[in-house]
């Protein structure tokens, strides 16, 4: 499966963006998808993940809880990341990843749990 992340851009502090992670070559319906972000020179930071659509269990990184929401766009074989109340600290390249074709009801915020990664989309929060 191949992942394509999109939706990044420039937004002012306090604003919102919605990222999309679209898949081709396989259905994401029963696989876990994670969003991670990276600032140049730093380690990947966990953002959010969603498990199999049987339960759609979700987990969030501490820094985004209450502000970001991960959900499935089943019609488009994609996973969305709604980001609200953005701050300059959210500036990073955002990557999506999946453990397809595996299927688990839970999802992991560890990057090592995922096998396929998209190319990333840049989010810049600045006035």
């Amino acid at each position: 499966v191949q992942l394509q992340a999109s939706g990044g851009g420039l937004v002012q502090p306090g604003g919102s963006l919605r990222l999309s992670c679209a898949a081709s070559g396989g259905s994401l319906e029963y696989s876990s998808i994670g969003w991670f972000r990276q600032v140049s020179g730093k380690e990947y930071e966990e953002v959010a993940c969603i498990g199999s659509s049987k339960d759609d269990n979700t987990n969030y990184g501490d820094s985004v809880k209450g502000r970001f929401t991960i959900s499935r766009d089943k019609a488009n074989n994609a996973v969305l990341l709604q980001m609200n109340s953005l701050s300059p600290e959210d500036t990073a390249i955002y990557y999506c990843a999946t453990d397809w074709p595996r299927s688990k009801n839970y999802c992991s915020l560890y990057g090592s749990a995922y096998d396929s990664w998209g190319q990333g989309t840049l989010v810049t929060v600045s006035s």
Side-chain angles (χ1 to χ4, degrees), residues 89-119:
E89 289 69 35
D90 295 313
T91 295
I93 299 176
Y94 284 70
Y95 298 88
C96 60
T98 182
D99 64 356
W100 183 91
R102 288 177 283 170
S103 178
K104 297 187 294 290
N105 291 339
Y106 62 92
C107 66
S108 172
L109 288 175
Y110 288 102
S112 58
Y114 300 91
D115 305 304
S116 300
W117 291 70
Q119 86 290 359

Side-chain angles (χ1 to χ4, degrees), residues 12-95:
Q12 292 188 340
S16 299
L17 276 178
R18 188 177 71 175
L19 305 183
S20 175
C21 177
S24 60
S27 172
L28 294 180
E29 184 174 3
Y30 298 112
S31 298
S32 298
I33 293 86
W35 281 98
F36 300 84
R37 65 189 184 186
Q38 186 180 35
V39 176
S40 179
K42 295 187 177 181
E43 296 290 324
Y44 281 100
E45 178 186 5
E46 64 278 4
V47 176
C49 67
I50 188 166
S52 166
S53 64
K54 295 176 182 178
D55 296 293
D56 276 346
N57 290 318
T58 58
N59 284 312
Y60 294 91
D62 289 341
S63 63
V64 307
K65 283 180 180 177
R67 300 188 298 123
F68 291 12
T69 303
I70 188 170
S71 63
R72 289 185 179 274
D73 178 2
K74 294 180 180 180
N76 294 300
N77 195 28
V79 170
L80 307 177
L81 184 69
Q82 178 67 41
M83 305 186 297
N84 298 329
S85 301
L86 287 163
S87 71
E89 289 69 35
D90 295 313
T91 295
I93 299 176
Y94 284 70
Y95 298 88

